[in-house]
């Protein structure tokens, strides 16, 4: 298998933390998003949405989208389980992973992509161009604050997002919080449960290797 990767940016980072937790590694091809290499026609044949990461299987099948790749690898390498250890946990991990991605990750992406001048005319990932919507910057800030508040409330007296064990929900939440910091919106110091969780999980070897 081969991984098309651009380390350091949020979605590839989510996958790389997942791989480190699983103890997996693959041959890698670097796709430079800053140079627009993801838009090249030969890469688009591998990734219809022109994004990374992409996992190319030995038979030539290409899987894009971070969660899809993680799901495939979880089925192939179930230990350690990162999507839940029983049906109840699988449901809860999926729930919190989606909440963190929708309410947090997408919010900071809106703020980030609709603000900086270098995204003019390309406000979204993918092969299609869109004009920026400045209103989404302020809306993104409001959504991020709500994400912080909700996560802090949920993490009160909890070590992790689901049942006291580290899962993909924690990976998505951790990368989201760091993405927010990168975008200039760190969590307020009043959210002690969230900040304590963030400090604790940031010490995991998988995360320190991919920071």
């Amino acid at each position: 298998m081969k991984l098309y990767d651009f380390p350091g940016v949020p979605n590839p980072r989510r996958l790389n933390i997942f791989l480190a937790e699983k103890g997996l590694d693959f041959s890698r091809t670097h796709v430079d998003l800053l140079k627009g290499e993801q838009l090249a026609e030969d890469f688009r044949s591998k990734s219809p949405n022109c994004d990374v990461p992409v996992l190319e299987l030995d038979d030539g099948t290409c899987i894009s989208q971070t969660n899809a790749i993680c799901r495939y690898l979880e089925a192939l390498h179930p230990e350690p389980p990162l999507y839940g250890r029983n049906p109840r946990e699988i449901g809860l991990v999926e729930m919190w992973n989606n909440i963190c991605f929708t309410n947090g990750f997408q919010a900071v992406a809106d703020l980030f992509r609709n603000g900086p001048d270098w995204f003019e005319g390309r406000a979204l990932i993918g092969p299609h161009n869109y004009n920026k919507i400045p209103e989404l910057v302020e809306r993104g800030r409001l959504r991020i604050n709500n994400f912080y508040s909700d996560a802090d409330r949920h993490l009160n007296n909890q070590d992790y997002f689901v049942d006291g064990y580290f899962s993909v929900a924690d990976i998505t939440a951790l990368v989201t919080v760091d993405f927010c910091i990168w975008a200039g919106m760190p969590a307020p110091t009043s959210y002690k449960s969230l900040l304590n969780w963030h400090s604790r999980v940031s010490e995991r070897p998988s995360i320190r290797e991919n920071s």
Side-chain angles (χ1 to χ4, degrees), residues 25-26 72 95 109 127 140 142 186:
D25 199 9
F26 305 105
Y72 171 80
M95 179 182 82
L142 293 173

Side-chain angles (χ1 to χ4, degrees), residues 39-204:
L39 301 172
E41 198 59 39
D42 60 340
F43 185 73
R44 187 170 179 175
S45 68
K46 301 178 185 297
S47 176
N49 201 44
C50 299
D51 55 4
V52 293
V54 174
L55 183 66
E56 184 172 17
L57 310 187
D58 293 340
D59 67 359
T61 300
C62 291
I63 303 172
S64 66
Q65 305 295 310
T66 299
N67 200 51
I69 297 170
C70 291
R71 276 294 195 180
Y72 171 80
L73 293 172
E74 178 89 350
L76 200 62
H77 302 280
E79 296 296 331
L82 293 175
Y83 276 90
R85 298 166 293 189
N86 55 57
R88 174 182 173 276
E89 286 185 355
I90 289 170
L92 289 173
V93 168
E94 193 69 41
M95 179 182 82
W96 280 106
N97 193 43
N98 285 338
I99 287 173
C100 291
F101 187 84
T102 302
N103 295 354
F105 194 95
Q106 289 184 340
V108 67
D110 276 350
L111 182 155
F112 186 74
R113 294 186 178 281
N114 286 281
D117 290 341
W118 59 82
F119 280 108
E120 187 64 52
R122 279 202 55 79
L124 298 173
I125 291 174
H128 309 294
N129 294 330
Y130 299 92
N131 290 328
K132 292 191 298 182
I133 304 174
E135 291 81 1
L136 289 180
V137 175
E138 184 56 33
R139 184 184 179 205
R141 291 193 180 101
L142 293 173
R143 293 176 65 200
I144 289 167
N145 282 324
N146 287 331
F147 164 72
Y148 282 153
S149 176
D150 294 343
D152 182 72
R153 186 182 304 108
H154 176 67
L155 289 167
N156 186 35
N157 297 319
Q158 286 197 194
D159 288 338
Y160 301 105
F161 271 82
V162 176
D163 286 359
Y165 98 106
F166 186 81
S167 73
V168 294
D170 296 283
I171 295 174
T172 297
L174 181 281
V175 173
T176 297
V177 171
D178 287 346
F179 193 8
C180 291
I181 293 170
W182 185 25
M185 276 203 68
T189 57
S190 58
Y191 292 137
K192 297 188 184 304
S193 295
L194 173 64
L195 292 173
N196 288 339
W197 163 87
H198 181 266
S199 176
R200 185 171 58 255
V201 298
S202 293
E203 292 302 312
R204 295 181 72 86

